[in-house]
Amino acid sequence: MSTSTIDPTLLDVPGPGLDPVSVRERRERRLRILLPICAIVSALLLWEFLVWYNEIPHYLIPAPSLIAKTLVTNFGSLMGSAWFTVKLTLLSLTLAVVGGVTLGMVFALWRPIEMSLFPFAVILQVTPIVAIAPLILIYVPDTFWALLICAWIVAFFPILSNTAIGLRSADHNLRDLFTLYRASPWQRLRYLLIPTALPYFMAALKIAGGLSLIGAVVAEFVAGTAGQNTGLASRILEASFRNEIPLMFAALFLVSALGIVIFLVTSFLSTRVLGHWHESEIKRQS
Amino acid sequence: MVSMMTTPAQITLAHVEKRFGNGTLALSDMNLDIRPGEFVSFLGPSGCGKSTALRMIAGLLEPTAGQITVNGKPAGKGRDDVSFVFQDATLMPWASVFDNVLLPLKLAGIGKAEAARRVREALDMVGLAKFETSYPRELSGGMKMRVSIARAMVTKPRLLLMDEPFAALDEMTRFKLNNDVLELWRKQGLTVVFVTHSVFESVYLSSRVVVMGSRPGRVVHDLAMPEGPRDAHYRTTAAYAETCRRVTEALEGTMDHVDLNH
């Protein structure tokens, strides 16, 4: 924040122009995309070269080209598994958002409910999902639903706690201002509490997006030993039983790709929602 | 206290006491009448209860004893004719300048077209008409404070309460905003209650300075300021210097040694 004041009549209205600054910005943006791509391509080439040069057998470490080939030959079945995992992840994330936001609001507005229910949320959060999953798989007959519950438990907590904290973080003077103008509870929620909580929620969404995928994969690993489902995690397990290392890598690649897509989408959403005002999304002028 | 003895008071504080939950006595036995059109400053060291008194007049705090009447009703029960300006501009960072000034009208359910007209009028009044689409983070401290004042004025209040509004600004900006507030006060026929810890600011702005002491917070002096135009020239006159000296003495008399060692 600048402390000096500029007479509004003398100040230029800030806006983009065709000046050296925007040229530099564009170059920086290009670099930000190009550099990571170059780094990843070089790493893959190095990997390919080392495998080829040292003649490492493909059942130990497959070359990237072989992984790509495996990906293509098993494309249909891998896509089926990927779709199962995507469904599981997105559904659990959606339920985590709905449940977390709803309960977060209840927590923020009624303190006694928070005090009574918070311990349960913490217990769910701190108990490793791998330890609960077998029980859930026993009690819930349908595997998909069992997996969904596991992934949901993992993704739910960050949304819940961040929403509750965010709704309570409104500036005290702004609260007073709303009181002074006799805002109704609904107006207060809509125009003060929700905008205040939004940055907290977006941060939680980024975390929960990754966690829901982890939850889905971990739960499937636990369930996968029973061989009842077809997600990417069970493909990895299945391939490992058959010593098909390239297939393991191919499935692993898809899991990572899915994680990256979730990260990019949530980051994009965050920029869209907060970009025009929140410090976390604003680039500082240098 | 000298002028306008006959007009009925707009704000009355009668034996007002405020004790906080932790037992601190923030304000004890405060009695004060403020008449329409007065510009009253609460001046005092930190902890003298001046902000507490202001918040009680706004209805944001309840007195533990005594009565506060504003516009004929108990404080906080009247409607739409009291505005408050906080020390920091207290703008919503997610909303544009326009939307920030619009807030009081939106909360009051005033129609869009009418509200937009009044927002533009208020922004015009503080010289920020060109900045309605800007966000608070793009503005300097002084401009943010102007937005805050525009937001306070958009409801056309009869009473403007200001809680150390310019304490965090640099001196040049402060002088300019002082003049802006004086102009609003004169043109709009406002009553202003202004909390400050600056002797010079209080003497420059006010028609009356209420000097308060701490431990417990209380009114020590109630001084009428000389009438006359307030401009850059006034700051250099002997009368201004003399009044400042008088108020400073009154203020120092309220402090014990602990305060002076700060």
Side-chain angles (χ1 to χ4, degrees):
Chain A
M1 193 197 305
S2 84
T3 45
S4 70
T5 298
I6 302 148
D7 189 317
T9 52
L10 296 177
L11 192 83
D12 290 330
V13 179
L18 289 169
D19 52 349
V21 178
S22 72
V23 173
R24 202 176 57 210
E25 248 171 40
R26 224 174 304 148
R27 202 179 58 196
E28 203 197 300
R29 206 178 313 145
R30 227 178 300 142
L31 277 182
R32 211 166 13 184
I33 297 168
L34 275 179
L35 281 182
I37 290 178
C38 287
I40 288 173
V41 169
S42 332
L44 286 176
L45 286 176
L46 183 69
W47 177 355
E48 184 84 36
F49 170 78
L50 287 176
V51 168
W52 168 80
Y53 185 79
N54 296 316
E55 295 175 348
I56 299 172
H58 67 77
Y59 52 83
L60 286 183
I61 302 176
S65 56
L66 181 60
I67 297 171
K69 215 182 291 167
T70 314
L71 202 57
V72 173
T73 43
N74 295 284
F75 190 74
S77 71
L78 276 176
M79 275 303 128
S81 309
W83 174 237
F84 182 86
T85 304
V86 168
K87 239 178 4 188
L88 199 58
T89 306
L90 291 188
L91 202 56
S92 67
L93 182 60
T94 311
L95 291 178
V97 168
V98 173
V101 168
T102 312
L103 200 57
M105 280 190 183
V106 173
F107 276 18
L109 300 178
W110 290 287
R111 206 82 200 221
I113 296 189
E114 175 180 20
M115 284 187 235
S116 349
L117 290 189
F118 203 68
F120 291 95
V122 173
I123 290 168
L124 274 184
Q125 163 71 8
V126 296
T127 314
I129 189 65
V130 207
I132 319 175
L135 275 177
I136 296 176
L137 282 156
I138 290 171
Y139 295 136
V140 182
D142 184 88
T143 317
F144 183 81
W145 281 99
L147 297 178
L148 189 63
I149 292 171
C150 293
W152 175 80
I153 288 175
V154 182
F156 169 71
F157 188 79
I159 305 248
L160 166 70
S161 69
N162 269 29
T163 305
I165 292 171
L167 286 171
R168 244 187 259 122
S169 308
D171 181 85
H172 283 270
N173 286 340
L174 274 176
R175 282 169 195 261
D176 281 348
L177 193 77
F178 275 69
T179 307
L180 204 67
Y181 289 119
R182 293 184 175 68
S184 65
W186 164 249
Q187 284 176 324
R188 187 179 287 263
L189 182 71
R190 168 72 188 79
Y191 298 123
L192 177 61
L193 303 187
I194 289 178
T196 306
L198 215 49
Y200 295 82
F201 171 77
M202 292 318 293
L205 188 65
K206 280 191 201 170
I207 299 168
L211 283 180
S212 62
L213 178 63
I214 292 174
V217 167
V218 167
E220 215 192 316
F221 264 111
V222 178
T225 45
Q228 295 171 344
N229 46 69
T230 55
L232 282 174
S234 53
R235 295 301 297 273
I236 294 176
L237 267 184
E238 186 193 310
S240 92
F241 292 150
R242 296 193 199 149
N243 252 333
E244 294 180 58
I245 311 299
L247 187 60
M248 285 178 78
F249 270 95
L252 195 60
F253 168 78
L254 287 178
V255 173
S256 302
L258 183 54
I260 292 167
V261 169
I262 291 174
F263 173 80
L264 289 178
V265 169
T266 50
S267 298
F268 172 76
L269 272 179
S270 175
T271 313
R272 280 303 294 272
V273 173
L274 307 176
H276 62 289
W277 69 275
H278 198 253
E279 297 295 341
S280 66
E281 298 288 355
I282 288 166
K283 262 185 62 189
R284 283 186 64 168
Q285 305 280 325
S286 51
Chain B
M1 284 290 222
V2 186
S3 61
M4 297 179 287
M5 225 35 181
T6 48
T7 35
Q10 184 173 12
I11 306 171
T12 306
L13 288 86
H15 307 292
V16 170
E17 180 198 281
K18 178 68 188 178
R19 193 182 284 279
F20 284 115
N22 59 14
T24 316
L25 185 58
L27 202 62
S28 93
D29 195 32
M30 183 168 180
N31 293 288
L32 195 68
D33 279 347
I34 297 174
R35 288 176 179 75
E38 277 195 292
F39 196 125
V40 178
S41 286
F42 291 174
L43 174 71
S46 24
C48 71
K50 53 192 193 297
S51 290
T52 306
L54 195 73
R55 281 170 182 267
M56 288 196 292
I57 293 172
L60 293 171
L61 285 175
E62 292 276 329
T64 32
Q67 276 95 42
I68 302 179
T69 315
V70 178
N71 294 332
K73 296 192 185 107
K77 300 286 185 284
R79 222 188 146 75
D80 284 345
D81 40 16
V82 181
S83 279
F84 201 100
V85 175
F86 297 88
Q87 177 174 352
D88 47 2
T90 310
L91 302 176
M92 303 179 288
W94 56 83
S96 66
V97 164
F98 183 92
D99 287 337
N100 265 293
V101 178
L102 179 68
L103 181 75
L105 304 179
K106 189 152 74 178
L107 294 179
I110 286 168
K112 267 200 181 127
E114 164 69 5
R117 192 186 60 71
R118 283 169 64 176
V119 169
R120 299 226 159 80
E121 200 180 283
L123 282 173
D124 220 26
M125 205 188 311
V126 296
L128 285 179
K130 277 192 287 181
F131 290 85
E132 60 174 57
T133 55
S134 301
Y135 283 86
R137 64 179 178 82
E138 298 166 329
L139 306 179
S140 67
M143 285 157 84
K144 279 187 216 167
M145 193 43 80
R146 278 167 206 259
V147 177
S148 192
I149 292 171
R151 178 180 60 195
M153 295 306 297
V154 80
T155 54
K156 301 204 187 303
R158 286 158 63 196
L159 176 60
L160 181 60
L161 306 174
M162 305 183 93
D163 189 5
E164 297 190 37
F166 310 138
L169 302 178
D170 61 275
E171 202 171 13
M172 288 305 292
T173 311
R174 200 171 174 164
F175 282 178
K176 188 141 188 358
L177 285 172
N178 279 168
N179 290 334
D180 290 355
V181 168
L182 276 177
E183 200 182 312
L184 280 179
W185 171 61
R186 270 193 297 259
K187 277 194 185 157
Q188 313 283 328
L190 290 172
T191 308
V192 180
V193 184
F194 192 97
V195 165
T196 180
H197 51 235
S198 159
V199 170
F200 304 103
E201 192 170 48
S202 66
V203 171
Y204 183 72
L205 291 174
S206 322
S207 51
R208 188 173 151 204
V209 174
V210 174
V211 180
M212 298 175 71
S214 53
R215 277 179 282 267
R218 67 203 185 279
V219 175
V220 182
H221 294 282
D222 193 335
L223 307 166
M225 294 293 112
E227 309 246 336
R230 305 292 160 94
D231 48 27
H233 172 69
Y234 177 65
R235 288 188 197 275
T236 64
T237 59
Y240 177 65
E242 170 58 23
T243 316
C244 287
R245 193 188 57 76
R246 202 156 55 89
V247 172
T248 306
E249 272 175 13
L251 185 62
E252 276 171 358
T254 71
M255 299 197 201
D256 52 30
H257 296 293
V258 186
D259 289 318
L260 293 174
N261 284 341
H262 278 326

